[in-house]
Amino acid sequence: MATDKSLATLLRALQTPSSDQDASRLLGSATNLLTLLSNPLNVTLLTSHILSAPAIWCNPDGLRTPLQILGVFNVASTQKLETEVPLKIAAPYPAREGLAKEEWVKAVVRGADDRSPRWKHMLILGGLLLGFEGQDRHGLSPSLRRTVERAIVKAGNLALEATGKDGQLSTTTIAVVFSNVFDILGSHERSDINHERLLPLLIRTMFFTKGGLEWGYFLATLDADITQTTGNKFNWSPKSSTYFQLQRMASGPLVGGLGALSRLTAFSVENVKTFDLLLAMTGDLFAFARSIGVQWRQNKLSEIDITEEGTFLHEETLSITLSSLWQVLKSTLFSVIVIQRSLLGRVLGDGQLSSNDVPFVAVQTLLSLRSLCFISARLGHSSFSQYTFVYLTSVDILFNYPIQAEAFLREIRPAEFGRIPEHPHERNHDLFFLNTAEHFTLSLPSSVNEDLLIGAASPYLGTGNNSSLVEIFEAAHSVVLSALTAPQNSDLTTKYLGFYVDVLFKAFPQSLSPRQFRMAVRTLVRITSPPSPISAQQPLLPSTLLELVRDRADNASTTLLPLLSNQAVLGDEVALSEQAVLVLTLVDSLCVLPIDTLEEWLPIVARSINTIKESMMSNT
């Protein structure tokens, strides 16, 4: 028969080492021939040769070769499913040659023999599952599907035990195949995977190996192709070699499949039984995050603040190359967060970690987030819920360990107190410090609040008109307010209150949004009102603060204030005049006043409201 002759020709060709192009052609022929063969022994024979042929495996093209094999059996399975004609229905065309579906599947599986290692067996089993069961096709009977699922898990577990024998190609293949079929596998089969061995392999494959993120070294290499053009513009050309390498990496199975790989890794984290593996993984994630943060700091692009990119970057850099880079970096951040979310779930749910290990996990997680804050700052620190969960859970855990919390804050403190760094990367680190330190004021001694927190916030409390620093200005004010409101800091409140009130009124509206100013004044009125200790010493302080606001409102501008950069991002701010903001500040503060002071200020505030002429703002 013609198919038998074609098979003989193909088998001879597979025994001769060939170029990549010839190998692709041979695999294309094998795909068609697999579905046409009518003898199950020939299907088994061809499958066995595909997994061991010198023409394919003598000089494999990295991960591309095993993925081609996976594709062969995926396409062949899909073709087999699409061309199958039910026996009870008369076909309008001559029946195609080949075996019945289930007989064909069994013949293919028998081709996974001792001539090839177990990790290659995963390629045919994965291809069968993807072809017959992917995209909700349900092409296999329930019993045969379970058989194939159990077979790929068994092959994978055996391959995991022998990963040192076949090098990196085998480990990356195991990771990619498992990630591709993971959603198809039943819950029992998923749990049967040897997660103790799979978890370290996945972490290495995603973050440290060639073809994956490779420690983030790609950020350092692209710096050579960033050149200065006319004026102060910098350009990273889409025709540069580093952009080509970035595209190739982004479209590869590891970086392009980070979503599936991270979900599989998260599942392994939830099911691994050895906590030492989780601690090791925590350290690995921090090592990667620190490395990619260092690579970014050494790149020329890190010297340009996001608000200045339109001024200093060429148009094609903004629209093409930089956009592609940030897609890779966003995927990187999401992958780390998905894994850390499952890790913290284990910490909260299992309760088996020692008292030393729990704060270690929290600290390492926060250090990782700090190293990746150059990515999260662009997205918005609270732009997606999983990041918020990881961040706040780590903070909550560490809050219960004051000694470790203080050591952590000292480790990430600004490198130099008293000045604002010129480099955007250092400013991002300062912002992360201020946002994080705000959560620990209640657990830290008064001296630490003063020396470490207020000291770090001081340079950002002054006035300025730099729109790129508004977010960090507001973070600094929040830290100071948090420190002044902590019960153990009553002496600190007395010492710094006058200074801070003066700074606050000077900073608005140039450096503070109306929302932040209103919140700050209301907080100050609250902490100076009964039953706070300071109210006993200076009972007139709340009225004094409100009088300062009212006096400024009487002379304030009625021109609408421009929205600051962070207000535009939030999109929920209404444009108000300075006068309107000050009057609303008085209204906000009424609810925290003692009764006698409230009775005094109600008519005063009512008269101030009537001074606002703009009808829209009066209704606000």
Side-chain angles (χ1 to χ4, degrees):
M1 294 177 64
T3 53
D4 292 334
K5 292 181 180 179
S6 298
L7 176 63
T9 302
L10 178 59
L11 292 178
R12 284 195 299 271
L14 287 172
Q15 299 308 308
T16 305
S18 59
S19 65
D20 293 341
Q21 295 173 342
D22 290 337
S24 298
R25 178 179 55 80
L26 293 174
L27 290 175
S29 301
T31 304
N32 292 325
L33 195 56
L34 274 170
T35 59
L36 294 174
L37 292 171
S38 57
N39 187 334
L41 295 177
N42 287 339
V43 174
T44 300
L45 179 64
L46 178 55
T47 301
S48 178
H49 275 71
I50 290 173
L51 296 183
S52 59
I56 299 172
W57 298 103
C58 185
N59 293 298
D61 184 16
L63 195 53
R64 181 170 175 266
T65 297
L67 287 180
Q68 283 181 311
I69 306 299
L70 182 70
V72 165
F73 291 94
N74 182 2
V75 173
S77 300
T78 305
Q79 290 179 353
K80 196 69 181 176
L81 187 61
E82 291 175 348
T83 58
E84 187 181 48
V85 181
L87 296 177
K88 296 182 180 179
I89 302 176
Y93 46 83
R96 186 174 181 177
E97 296 181 68
L99 298 169
K101 179 179 61 180
E102 296 209 357
E103 187 180 7
W104 182 82
V105 171
K106 293 175 182 177
V108 169
V109 172
R110 284 194 293 269
D113 53 28
D114 293 337
R115 297 179 60 188
S116 54
R118 299 288 185 176
W119 63 271
K120 292 184 182 179
H121 297 177
M122 296 180 69
L123 299 173
I124 64 170
L125 296 166
L128 291 174
L129 279 178
L130 292 170
F132 284 112
E133 298 294 327
Q135 301 178 0
D136 295 323
R137 279 189 280 264
H138 306 297
L140 299 176
S141 65
S143 60
L144 184 57
R145 172 175 175 169
R146 284 194 297 270
T147 299
V148 177
E149 289 180 0
R150 286 195 295 266
I152 194 171
V153 170
K154 182 177 180 180
N157 287 341
L158 291 172
L160 286 168
E161 294 177 3
T163 50
K165 299 179 181 179
D166 295 302
Q168 182 180 323
L169 183 59
S170 65
T171 60
T172 53
T173 299
I174 294 169
V176 170
V177 174
F178 265 141
S179 68
N180 275 276
V181 303
F182 180 71
D183 291 333
I184 300 175
L185 295 176
S187 57
H188 182 72
E189 284 71 27
R190 292 181 184 181
S191 300
D192 283 345
I193 297 173
N194 187 345
H195 294 288
E196 311 292 317
R197 289 185 176 271
L198 181 61
L199 179 59
L201 180 147
L202 288 170
I203 295 297
R204 288 197 307 272
T205 300
M206 293 170 63
F207 299 111
F208 303 114
T209 61
K210 185 177 181 181
L213 293 169
E214 202 174 357
W215 293 91
Y217 291 151
F218 63 93
L219 288 177
T221 59
L222 63 86
D223 188 63
D225 285 332
I226 300 173
T227 57
Q228 187 170 359
T229 58
T230 55
N232 292 325
K233 296 277 188 177
F234 288 86
N235 188 29
W236 177 27
S237 173
K239 299 178 181 179
S240 63
S241 60
T242 51
Y243 181 63
F244 174 76
Q245 292 169 1
L246 177 72
Q247 285 184 304
R248 184 174 182 180
M249 181 185 75
S251 60
L254 297 182
V255 176
L258 279 176
L261 286 166
S262 60
R263 288 194 299 273
L264 174 59
T265 307
F267 186 83
S268 290
V269 168
E270 294 168 359
N271 287 272
V272 74
K273 297 178 177 62
T274 307
F275 274 87
D276 286 345
L277 289 176
L278 298 180
L279 297 177
M281 183 199 72
T282 304
D284 289 340
L285 289 177
F286 168 57
F288 167 77
R290 180 175 57 184
S291 176
I292 198 172
V294 170
Q295 307 306 317
W296 173 253
R297 175 63 176 82
Q298 296 173 353
N299 189 294
K300 293 185 185 73
L301 294 174
S302 70
E303 301 173 9
I304 303 173
D305 192 272
I306 185 173
T307 60
E308 300 173 336
E309 288 179 351
T311 304
F312 293 105
L313 292 180
H314 194 277
E315 184 177 346
E316 66 177 3
T317 301
L318 287 171
S319 59
I320 302 175
T321 51
L322 188 62
S323 176
S324 299
L325 174 63
W326 281 112
Q327 286 300 320
V328 172
L329 293 175
K330 288 175 186 177
S331 297
T332 302
L333 176 64
F334 292 157
S335 298
V336 172
I337 293 299
V338 167
I339 297 169
Q340 289 179 330
R341 185 186 186 282
S342 293
L343 171 65
L344 291 172
R346 288 292 302 269
V347 173
L348 295 176
D350 288 359
Q352 298 181 27
L353 288 176
S354 70
S355 57
N356 292 326
D357 292 335
V358 171
F360 170 80
V361 171
V363 168
Q364 293 289 293
T365 301
L366 288 171
L367 288 174
S368 298
L369 297 182
R370 177 179 181 265
S371 294
L372 297 172
C373 69
F374 72 95
I375 308 174
S376 59
R378 176 175 288 262
L379 301 177
H381 295 292
S382 58
S383 59
F384 61 107
S385 58
Q386 293 202 33
Y387 179 94
T388 303
F389 172 83
V390 169
Y391 175 72
L392 292 181
T393 302
S394 300
V395 168
D396 286 345
I397 292 172
L398 191 57
F399 182 87
N400 295 305
Y401 299 87
I403 296 176
Q404 290 90 337
E406 180 181 343
F408 164 71
L409 291 175
R410 291 192 182 280
E411 181 178 355
I412 67 169
R413 60 181 286 180
E416 185 177 347
F417 281 8
R419 72 177 188 88
I420 299 176
E422 296 182 3
H423 202 288
H425 190 64
E426 270 74 52
R427 293 202 298 268
N428 278 334
H429 281 175
D430 285 3
L431 176 60
F432 184 88
F433 171 83
L434 293 172
N435 284 335
T436 305
E438 178 185 353
H439 298 282
F440 293 99
T441 53
L442 290 174
S443 67
L444 297 174
S446 178
S447 59
V448 177
N449 274 288
E450 180 177 13
D451 298 338
L452 188 60
L453 274 58
I454 295 180
S458 294
Y460 294 103
L461 295 175
T463 59
N465 199 22
N466 190 337
S467 61
S468 65
L469 299 180
V470 171
E471 185 177 8
I472 195 168
F473 283 160
E474 296 197 346
H477 281 270
S478 294
V479 167
V480 173
L481 285 171
S482 182
L484 296 182
T485 56
Q488 75 275 21
N489 293 339
S490 57
D491 292 340
L492 204 62
T493 304
T494 305
K495 179 178 179 181
Y496 283 97
L497 183 62
F499 160 76
Y500 181 67
V501 169
D502 182 57
V503 167
L504 179 65
F505 278 83
K506 288 181 179 178
F508 176 74
Q510 289 83 7
S511 303
L512 284 181
S513 67
R515 172 185 53 81
Q516 180 73 22
F517 178 78
R518 290 166 62 180
M519 184 271 291
V521 173
R522 183 175 67 250
T523 302
L524 292 176
V525 172
R526 178 173 61 82
I527 65 175
T528 56
S529 299
S532 68
I534 195 174
S535 65
Q537 303 172 6
Q538 303 184 50
L540 297 179
L541 268 180
S543 293
T544 303
L545 289 171
L546 293 180
E547 185 61 37
L548 288 173
V549 176
R550 188 196 64 78
D551 181 67
R552 181 162 170 178
D554 290 343
N555 301 288
S557 170
T558 58
T559 304
L560 293 181
L561 295 172
L563 292 179
L564 300 177
S565 59
N566 61 333
Q567 294 175 268
V569 171
L570 290 172
D572 59 355
E573 295 279 352
V574 177
L576 298 170
S577 68
E578 181 182 348
Q579 181 191 53
V581 172
L582 291 165
V583 172
L584 286 173
T585 304
L586 292 174
V587 175
D588 292 341
S589 303
L590 291 176
C591 61
V592 297
L593 292 174
I595 296 298
D596 55 342
T597 309
L598 176 63
E599 292 175 347
E600 174 188 352
W601 275 94
L602 275 173
I604 298 175
V605 173
R607 288 194 295 271
S608 296
I609 292 175
N610 290 328
T611 63
I612 303 177
K613 298 179 181 179
E614 297 84 345
S615 59
M616 181 181 298
M617 287 186 284
S618 296
N619 293 332
T620 302

